[in-house]
Amino acid sequence: MKKLLFFALLCLSVASLSAQTKEELQAQKAEKQAIADAAKAEADALQAKIDALPGWKKGAFGTIGGSLSNFNNWYAQDKPNNASGNIGFTVNAFANLIQEKFFWRNSLATNLSWVKLDDKDNNTDADDSFEPTTDVFNISSLYGRNITKTLAASGLMEYRTTILNNFNDPGYLDVGIGGTWTPIENLIVVVHPLNYNFVFAENDAVFESSLGAKIVADYTRQIGAIAFKTNLSSFQSYKSSDLSNFTWTNSFSYTLWKMIGVGFDFGLRSNKQEALNYIQTLDVAQGGNPAETFDSVDNKLQSFYTFGLSYKF
């Protein structure tokens, strides 16, 4: 009986000692975590001061997505022997010089993708090479002299085209002057009432240069592991609304490990000149109409999206 009582007391003592040890470890962990949180807050505050210093700020981020597949004798599908794949990537790069009296902001945005479908049983189909499907290229440079803390007199040059197919056909070059407003951190609003939109294209019966107003709004932000950027670029022609256009692009990324994560890009665009040129040059058997005009063309909203791994540096 004494041995049993002794064993029970020993078990209770061990359990009590174990419980105390766990509580002590948890208390030590909480103390160390508080120190780490305070150190991180100090580091973030120092980084914010560094970011606010005048000088160059450079960086880039984007999304990479793709897939490859190969089927042999897969009779459950319409094409049992085929090879297919798609590859795409986006790049958003910037190099900004911020000084007390002026700024110079430069950016590059591109979205490229290729796709292929090779039916091995059909010798008359397209070859097995990758064909371009998404082709977006945009580069811009904005210079401004500060008038107040949030307002500057500015000049902008922006160029947009495709680079995989029909380079500079069409190509758009905007050159204009006006004002830039920065009401809050990370938000830039450009309003240039004096802007000339140069359009380069072989089909000069559809594409036409004109004078108008340029409006650009850009917001870039990072909150913890989440980063996003949205950019709206619009040209409003004084000559005709048929010559106006806008492009709205958005990029989101979530960092999983170091500089790698998952990303999503999507964009919307409206350009009546491009819509008319497409219908006029499209084969009649596929719905083309050489007699289409600005008054009759259906200017559908253009869109794209890319989902895949994200990167930044």
Side-chain angles (χ1 to χ4, degrees):
M1 184 66 182
K2 291 181 179 180
K3 292 182 178 180
L4 182 61
L5 181 60
F6 175 77
F7 181 74
L9 290 174
L10 180 62
C11 291
L12 288 173
S13 299
V14 171
S16 176
L17 179 62
S18 180
Q20 291 175 355
T21 302
K22 181 178 180 181
E23 291 174 355
E24 290 174 356
L25 290 174
Q26 288 178 334
Q28 292 178 13
K29 179 186 176 183
E31 182 180 348
K32 298 296 184 183
Q33 187 64 52
I35 295 173
D37 292 343
K40 185 178 184 303
E42 292 179 5
D44 291 343
L46 289 173
Q47 185 61 51
K49 291 181 179 180
I50 293 173
D51 293 340
L53 291 175
W56 282 100
K57 295 176 177 60
K58 306 173 185 178
F61 65 94
T63 303
I64 301 175
S67 67
L68 297 172
S69 63
N70 187 84
F71 290 88
N72 292 306
N73 303 320
W74 198 265
Y75 298 117
Q77 61 186 14
D78 182 54
K79 296 178 177 61
N81 300 289
N82 75 78
S84 64
N86 66 81
I87 302 172
F89 68 90
T90 66
V91 177
N92 295 279
F94 64 90
N96 300 330
L97 176 60
I98 309 299
Q99 297 290 353
E100 182 179 354
K101 295 183 179 181
F102 71 93
F103 58 81
W104 184 25
R105 299 177 180 270
N106 305 277
S107 66
L108 166 71
T110 184
N111 186 325
L112 307 174
S113 67
W114 298 260
V115 66
K116 81 166 184 177
L117 175 59
D118 178 26
D119 184 357
K120 300 176 183 178
D121 298 323
N122 184 0
N123 295 326
T124 62
D125 72 343
D127 58 31
D128 59 356
S129 61
F130 281 85
E131 296 292 334
T133 53
T134 304
D135 193 355
V136 178
F137 179 84
N138 184 299
I139 187 170
S140 67
S141 183
L142 174 68
Y143 178 84
R145 299 288 298 186
N146 295 326
I147 300 173
T148 67
K149 187 177 180 180
T150 60
L151 186 64
S154 57
L156 172 70
M157 182 176 68
E158 181 184 72
Y159 178 67
R160 306 183 310 279
T161 186
T162 56
I163 56 178
L164 300 179
N165 282 325
N166 304 323
F167 175 71
N168 204 40
D169 184 22
Y172 304 91
L173 176 63
D174 281 295
V175 179
I177 58 175
T180 296
W181 181 45
T182 53
I184 60 175
E185 186 179 5
N186 304 315
L187 175 61
I188 302 169
V189 180
V190 179
V191 180
H192 286 176
L194 186 60
N195 182 93
Y196 200 82
N197 179 236
F198 296 92
V199 183
F200 311 100
E202 290 186 6
N203 188 0
D204 54 8
V206 171
F207 293 100
E208 183 179 353
S209 304
S210 65
L211 182 68
K214 185 72 174 181
I215 301 172
V216 178
D218 185 279
Y219 186 72
T220 305
R221 183 78 185 274
Q222 178 159 348
I223 305 174
I226 301 174
F228 59 91
K229 174 185 176 68
T230 180
N231 179 278
L232 173 65
S233 178
S234 173
F235 172 72
Q236 302 299 316
S237 174
Y238 295 145
K239 184 174 183 179
S240 170
S241 61
D242 295 334
L243 307 180
S244 300
N245 62 76
F246 78 84
T247 303
W248 182 37
T249 57
N250 302 270
S251 298
F252 302 88
S253 67
Y254 181 81
T255 302
L256 298 174
W257 178 73
K258 292 187 176 180
M259 296 184 293
I260 305 299
V262 292
F264 177 68
D265 290 68
F266 77 91
L268 300 175
R269 179 171 172 79
S270 176
N271 190 311
K272 204 168 187 179
Q273 295 177 91
E274 293 176 349
L276 179 59
N277 180 67
Y278 175 75
I279 292 297
Q280 287 186 349
T281 57
L282 185 65
D283 190 274
V284 175
Q286 296 178 319
N289 181 8
E292 196 80 58
T293 65
F294 277 115
D295 294 331
S296 61
V297 68
D298 183 9
N299 183 26
K300 296 180 180 179
L301 186 65
Q302 306 172 40
S303 65
F304 74 83
Y305 73 86
T306 302
F307 179 78
L309 293 176
S310 65
Y311 65 90
K312 65 177 180 179
F313 56 86

